[in-house]
Amino acid sequence: MTTIRQNLQTLQNELNGSKARLVAVSKYHTADAINEAYACGQRIFGESHVQELCAKQLALPADIQWHFIGHLQTNKVKYIASFISLIHSVDTLKLLKEIDRQAEKASRTIDCLLQIHIAEEETKFGFTPLDVTQMLDEGQWRELKHTRIVGLMCIATNTDDSSRIQKEFRTVHQLFETLKQKYFEGTNQFCELSMGMSDDYPIALGEGSTLIRIGSRIFGERIYDNHC
Ligand SMILES: *Cc1c(COP(=O)(O)O)cnc(C)c1O
């Protein structure tokens, strides 16, 4: 049995009985590695660079559901709009509008998560809880007919302090419940909470994550990881 297969099986066993789904984060990993995971039944893969994603999408099986998890520049949305199945990292209304515009051109509706900035300094991207509430209050997003906001995503602080990580996930889950009630009542559209990576996914699952984004725990260390 290959390591990728073993790693996937371990994760799938841990997810057994939970509603959460696994996003296999394949950024910086080869098409061969992805094919190996695909052969084990994995269908959702996460990438964070547009160029790399487009090359892989062309080369790999058509029934893969590609998720975009990195910072997305508005001028690059057009390259992924025809096939992307979920964008985890919407961090401005401007980006959401551009996704909507490109989705319309591609005659599709694109599902999106709003990224919440919760960690101390892991990333500068994401809405603060206040910003996201203001954006939803203001209401322009309701006019966008080719995007659907289906939930929230966050990246916790990279720390050994698990109580702090737990607090961050809990805060985002509470925000999720509040927004769901206030803006999405009577629909089941707002249902995804993307939280948890290789080092903190057990905590995220305990705090209600529905999508865990796991890279190194499946594929091993990334070959190169500094061109973000
Ligand atoms: C790279 C990345 C992951 C996966 O990280 P691992 O620690 O390798 O599991 C998850 N989410 C985002 C946003 C990433 O950029």
Side-chain angles (χ1 to χ4, degrees), residues 12 48 91 98-99 140 206 212 226:
Q12 288 298 357
S48 57
D91 57 358
E98 176 62 11
I99 296 168
Q140 278 190 59
I212 56 172
N226 52 8

Side-chain angles (χ1 to χ4, degrees), residues 23 25 27-29 47-48 69-71 88-89 115 153-155 194 196-199 212-218 220 222 225 228:
V23 180
V25 176
K27 65 184 184 202
Y28 307 124
H29 289 285
E47 290 282 339
S48 57
I69 62 169
H71 178 62
H88 289 231
S89 43
Q115 181 172 350
M153 177 272 224
C154 73
I155 301 171
S194 168
M197 305 171 35
S198 288
D199 290 335
I212 56 172
R213 310 178 308 268
I214 309 288
S216 39
R217 201 169 281 262
I218 297 170
R222 289 179 278 276
D225 199 356
C228 295

